[in-house]
Every structure is written in C-alpha cells, then in structure tokens.
Amino acid sequence: MAYMAVYEPTIGLEIHAELKTRTKMFCDSANDPFTAEANTHICPVCLAHPGTLPVINAEAVKHVLRVGLALKGELADYTEFDRKNYFYPDLPKGYQLSQYEFPLVKGGELSGVQITRVHLEEDTASSIHDEKTGATLVDYNRAGVPLMELVTEPVISSAEHAGRFARDLQLLLRYLGASEANMERGEMRVEANVSLGQNGVYGTKVEIKNLNSFRAMERAVAYELDRQKKLIESGGTVVQETRGWDESKQATFSQRIKEGSADYRYFPDPDLPFLKLSELPEFHPDILRDALSELPEDRRKRYRDLALQSDDIELLVRDRRFGDYFDEVTKIAAVEYNTAINYVANDLVKIIRDIEERDTKSLDKIPISATHFAKLIEMIQMKTVSSRSAKDILTALVSHDQDPEVYAKAEGLLQETNIEKLREVALRILNRHGQVAEDYKAGKDSALEFLLGQSMKELKGAGDPEMLREILRSLIR
Ligand code: ADP
Ligand code: MG
C-alpha cells in the first residue's frame, strides 16, 4: 500500500476593526473616514504637528473591554500605549500608537477559537493611487481612527471554520455597537496566516492580505492550503512571505518575502498616561457588564429554548430586524411561536428581501406594525383566514400597513367555515366533475386534490381546506 502523507492545516487570524466612536483615538477630530470629503476631519494632533499632545478616547477603551468581556477574556488591570516606529507616508508621526506588552485583553474564546489578545491602536491614513498622474494621494481622515486588533491562536484547521469565526466576530462587534465591521468598506480587515504541518510539526506560515470579503478569505485560505500541499508534494519548500489575493484570478500571489522580523523599537509613549484600570470606575468590569446588550450566543440559546430550528435561529440572530420583530410579535398574548416563526422566517423575509432587491437598499424597519402582524398570526391560528390568503394579506400590509381583519373582510378573504356553505360548494363541484369523483372512488388519490382545488377556487381561496377535504370525501363515499 502506498504511503499517504497526512497534512495538518493550521490557520491563525489577525483582525482589525475600526471602532465606532464620535471622535478619533487621540484627538477630537470626527471619526468618519468613509463618507467625508478627503482631509476634512483632521487637526494638528492627527497630523502630528510638533508640540501637540494626544488624549486617550475613553469610549474606544470601553469598546475593547466590552469585547474582552464578551469573549470571556482576561481584562488588563495595568495597560499602556506604545510607539511602534516605522516610516511611511500614511503615518504622519513616524510611529503608530499601539499596545505591545500590555494589551487591554488577553485570552478568551469565540466559536471554538482561542483568542491570544485584543489591543487598541490607531488607524493609518489612506493612500490613493492616482492613475492619471501616477501620484499617490494621502487622505488623513482615517489617520488616528480607533482601531481594535484581535489575534487568534493558530488553532483553526479549515477555511470554513476561519470563515465562521470571522462572521461571528463581525456579528459580535455589531451587537456590542463597537464597530460596523463592514469588510467591503475596510471597517474590518482580516489577515490569514496559513501553514501545512506534518506529524505534529508546524509548517512555515504564509500571511495573506487584502481580503475584502468573507468569501474571498475562505477561498484564499483554501487556495493557499492547496498550493502549499502541491508545492510540498513536488519537492519544493514553502517560504515565509506575505501574499495577496487576486480576486480575478482567484489565486494568491507573492507580495513580499520576509527578511527577518522588522524592528519597530517599541517603547511606552511618554505623552500618554499609563492606566491602572481598577482605579478608574468607568472601566470597572461590573459597570461595563451591566451595559452589555444581549449577545448573539445568549440570543441563540433563548431561541433554542423555544424549540426553534437552527436555520430560523440563525436568521433571527444575524438579522436583528427580524429577531427584534419576532420578539415583539411573540410578546403579544395568544401568538404561538411556531406559527409566528413560520410567517416571519418564510413569508415576511421573502417579501422584505424582494423589496430590498428591487430598490437596492435595505429597509431599516419592518413596515408592518407588530400589533397588526400579531393579529394576522392570531387569525391564522383561529383559521379565520387560510394560509393562502394570509400570504396575500401580508403582501398587502407591507405596502399599506392596516388592520388585517378589516382588510380581509373588505376583500372577502375571511375563511368560510360554515359547513352548510362548504357542502353546497362541494356538491356543485362534484356535479360538474362526476368522472373525477369516480376516479377517486376507483382509488386515484390525486383526484381528490383536483376537486379540493376546484372548490377552493369557487370560494376564492377563502375556505378551510381541511374541512372541505373531509366534506368531499364523505360526499363521494
Ligand atoms: P509573528 O511573530 O510572525 O507575528 P505570531 O506568533 O505573532 O507570528 O502570530 C501571528 C499570527 O500567526 C497569529 O494569528 C497566529 O495564530 C498565527 N500563526 C502562528 N504560527 C502559525 C502557523 N504555524 N500556522 C498558521 N498560523 C500561525
Ligand atoms: Mg506577531
């Protein structure tokens, strides 16, 4: 038997997220790098004019500490900011304020991935390459925006798990209100370290950058694992390097080979105070914990306890508009969870997504009041409307929010449950389709469905199908 090599994929992630604060990390310029005109949110501090002094943004510190709490990591008691020295046009000071020895958070876990650390630093400016003139333009609106960096342990072993972790982190940041974490906008940036080990020994790692979406990240990791495997099998060796992801070629490419590690000459910034967090009440874990909203994992558990299915749970957890709506609707007495989830997760979601696709913009709010939706659910439960009519009523309510009962009455959609009336209709249909009735008698089950369909049509969909089926069956016998 041929010897088959077993490869052990190892992936570790480094994720940056721009934090949502009113002002920048160390000055009071507005934190709005995406929509503002270039170089309008700048000041002497973030442009690094000599003699200026930075001030720590407490809101940014709190965001990172809350992330630490949510990850069940260890929050620092002592922390400081360090200068990371290097030279680049997007870094006006000639150093980046970051954290080295004393990150705000150590350890923690999310989606089965151990966290090494989470620290706070400042973003760089953005450079834009001008095709026409060949010049590089620099926009300092982003310089000094608070940036969180999270590093994972090298414990992920598939592209799919890496993707799940990154998506869950995005969701967590959004729940915490810490970041919009939109990857396409660069509010969340993922770097993936990938290696292929053998016999319990780590392989050489390659770092992949410029991943602009979760899909790109998953594909890049999968591609890289495959590339390294083929390289090793053809007798080559993996070199430690930084690679980029080429979206059009769907391949990684070499950007730069690592020649030893850069010496950033880290040292504590003498212009900023060292923080002893336990002496500062606003950073106390109990106070921060009190302000923590329900986290995605808590919410999942709450829905699991209601016996909802996992697909539906993910929908409600990931799209909080539907989650909040479901919560509001099911708070109303007499609404059953399983009927409500059925109409939220299937019908309502489809209607809303269709509208969003048509208008190419997302709706902030579900356009039907929870009271009206709840009333419709109750009507379905009481069988005063058929499920067919319920879908039509829902569509009508989305374009014009109104009392579903008033609407159903006006449109003749209230379900007929009067047995005499239903029998009358059934007899009429049986007279019209005598042969089909004979077919059913002869054992052709589908014939009954035809007769039911015809009866429902006669009633314009407003008949109780269960009752009708029973009546037809009894009349044919
Ligand atoms: P470096 O010193 O090159 O910065 P670190 O040990 O700080 O490396 O790790 C940086 C990132 O690389 C972390 O996310 C870590 O999980 C990941 N990593 C470390 N070793 C490996 C490996 N052998 N394979 C894949 N990822 C790794
Ligand atoms: Mg490192």
Side-chain angles (χ1 to χ4, degrees):
M1 203 169 90
Y3 170 73
M4 294 268 284
V6 179
Y7 299 102
E8 294 131 19
T10 300
I11 302 149
L13 301 176
E14 292 167 286
I15 303 185
H16 285 91
E18 284 178 350
L19 299 175
K20 214 154 68 172
T21 54
R22 194 175 55 79
T23 56
K24 290 187 182 181
M25 187 60 228
F26 299 108
C27 64
D28 63 4
S29 292
N31 172 4
D32 177 22
F34 195 72
T35 56
E37 195 186 322
N39 294 310
T40 52
H41 295 320
I42 51 176
C43 76
V45 177
C46 54
L47 289 181
H49 288 195
T52 56
L53 284 172
V55 176
I56 298 171
N57 183 333
E59 204 43 52
V61 175
K62 287 182 204 168
H63 277 319
V64 175
L65 291 174
R66 282 191 210 106
V67 170
L69 283 173
L71 299 172
K72 299 191 169 58
E74 182 195 332
L75 306 195
D77 184 21
Y78 174 82
T79 195
E80 63 183 31
F81 287 91
D82 302 284
R83 292 186 180 182
K84 177 179 181 179
N85 299 279
Y86 65 94
F87 184 77
Y88 204 73
D90 66 10
L91 191 70
K93 289 197 286 283
Y95 57 83
Q96 179 190 32
L97 284 169
S98 180
Q99 297 193 292
Y100 189 56
E101 285 263 357
F102 301 97
L104 281 167
V105 179
K106 281 186 196 162
E109 184 267 346
L110 180 70
S111 312
V113 176
Q114 281 68 48
I115 310 300
T116 312
R117 58 185 274 152
V118 191
H119 73 248
L120 188 52
E121 57 189 34
E122 57 180 338
D123 209 346
T124 56
S126 31
S127 346
I128 302 124
H129 192 70
D130 187 36
E131 296 288 342
K132 254 190 251 144
T133 60
T136 296
L137 308 170
V138 187
D139 175 9
Y140 288 95
N141 283 345
R142 205 181 69 176
V145 163
L147 198 62
M148 180 195 99
E149 179 174 348
L150 177 148
V151 182
T152 78
E153 291 289 295
V155 290
I156 304 169
S157 53
S158 71
E160 178 267 324
H161 192 187
R164 183 148 40 89
F165 172 82
R167 285 188 179 86
D168 279 344
L169 180 66
Q170 179 191 58
L171 190 65
L172 180 67
L173 293 172
R174 289 179 175 175
Y175 265 64
L176 292 170
S179 175
E180 279 307 310
N182 191 320
M183 284 191 62
E184 288 77 9
R185 288 188 183 196
E187 289 161 345
M188 175 161 152
R189 294 164 231 155
V190 179
E191 287 153 26
N193 299 275
V194 179
S195 70
L196 216 47
Q198 270 174 295
N199 307 317
V201 180
Y202 281 132
T204 304
K205 76 171 155 49
V206 163
E207 185 175 344
I208 317 172
K209 283 190 195 271
N210 62 295
L211 303 167
N212 297 322
S213 68
F214 294 117
R215 277 179 77 85
M217 185 199 93
E218 287 163 339
R219 290 191 175 163
V221 169
Y223 177 92
E224 191 53 31
L225 287 170
D226 190 52
R227 185 190 71 88
Q228 292 180 15
K229 177 167 176 268
K230 287 180 177 147
L231 188 60
I232 295 167
E233 286 183 342
S234 65
T237 43
V238 175
V239 290
Q240 191 174 342
E241 62 181 342
T242 302
R243 296 176 74 88
W245 171 245
D246 185 328
E247 192 62 55
S248 57
K249 293 199 181 114
Q250 294 284 301
T252 62
F253 61 94
S254 181
Q255 282 185 319
R256 82 189 132 83
I257 310 275
K258 211 159 190 168
E259 321 95 357
S261 65
D263 181 6
Y264 292 118
R265 294 168 291 126
Y266 281 102
F267 67 91
D269 186 280
D271 292 337
L272 287 167
F274 304 144
L275 301 179
K276 182 105 169 87
L277 291 173
S278 57
E279 286 168 8
L280 303 165
E282 65 176 320
F283 299 127
H284 196 282
D286 291 345
I287 290 178
L288 294 169
R289 200 176 281 117
D290 282 347
L292 232 51
S293 59
E294 183 184 45
L295 300 175
E297 205 38 53
D298 305 328
R299 198 165 198 165
R300 284 193 184 101
K301 179 170 184 323
R302 186 158 63 77
Y303 292 142
R304 275 198 294 269
D305 291 345
L306 299 180
L308 302 191
Q309 289 175 4
S310 61
D311 286 4
D312 294 336
I313 294 176
E314 279 315 290
L315 167 81
L316 299 183
V317 171
R318 289 185 181 276
D319 195 331
R320 264 188 296 172
R321 289 174 309 174
F322 294 115
D324 292 347
Y325 194 70
F326 175 80
D327 290 349
E328 215 184 320
V329 166
T330 51
K331 241 184 245 140
I332 296 169
V335 170
E336 288 162 9
Y337 294 119
N338 43 11
T339 314
I341 191 61
N342 185 13
Y343 282 86
V344 169
N346 301 318
D347 305 275
L348 186 64
V349 166
K350 184 172 181 324
I351 294 170
I352 300 292
R353 300 245 159 105
D354 284 350
I355 293 174
E356 291 180 329
E357 202 163 301
R358 188 193 66 204
D359 301 346
T360 60
K361 72 169 203 280
S362 62
L363 288 174
D364 297 333
K365 221 178 140 302
I366 309 296
I368 307 175
S369 79
T371 342
H372 287 159
F373 191 88
K375 187 160 180 186
L376 178 60
I377 298 297
E378 283 170 12
M379 287 163 71
I380 296 164
Q381 288 168 190
M382 310 269 291
K383 290 187 185 294
T384 43
V385 285
S386 68
S387 57
R388 172 69 254 150
S389 306
K391 292 180 208 298
D392 296 340
I393 297 170
L394 207 52
T395 308
L397 260 57
V398 168
S399 45
H400 173 45
D401 190 18
Q402 56 191 307
D403 185 327
E405 196 176 6
V406 173
Y407 176 80
K409 211 173 267 171
E411 296 293 318
L413 295 173
L414 287 182
Q415 183 150 269
E416 194 55 71
T417 51
N418 180 320
I419 295 190
E420 282 315 310
K421 177 85 191 284
L422 291 177
R423 187 176 290 138
E424 216 176 276
V425 172
L427 275 171
R428 215 179 304 147
I429 296 300
L430 286 174
N431 283 334
R432 214 177 285 161
H433 303 284
Q435 186 53 49
V436 184
E438 289 305 319
D439 291 349
Y440 178 65
K441 235 190 237 172
K444 190 179 167 198
D445 286 348
S446 62
L448 188 68
E449 294 312 307
F450 172 80
L451 295 167
L452 177 62
Q454 291 299 309
S455 308
M456 287 296 277
K457 205 162 144 196
E458 186 95 355
L459 287 156
K460 296 198 184 69
D464 182 333
E466 289 311 310
M467 285 176 78
L468 261 176
R469 189 179 275 119
E470 269 317 298
I471 289 167
L472 282 165
R473 224 183 257 145
S474 68
L475 286 174
I476 296 171
R477 233 188 282 129

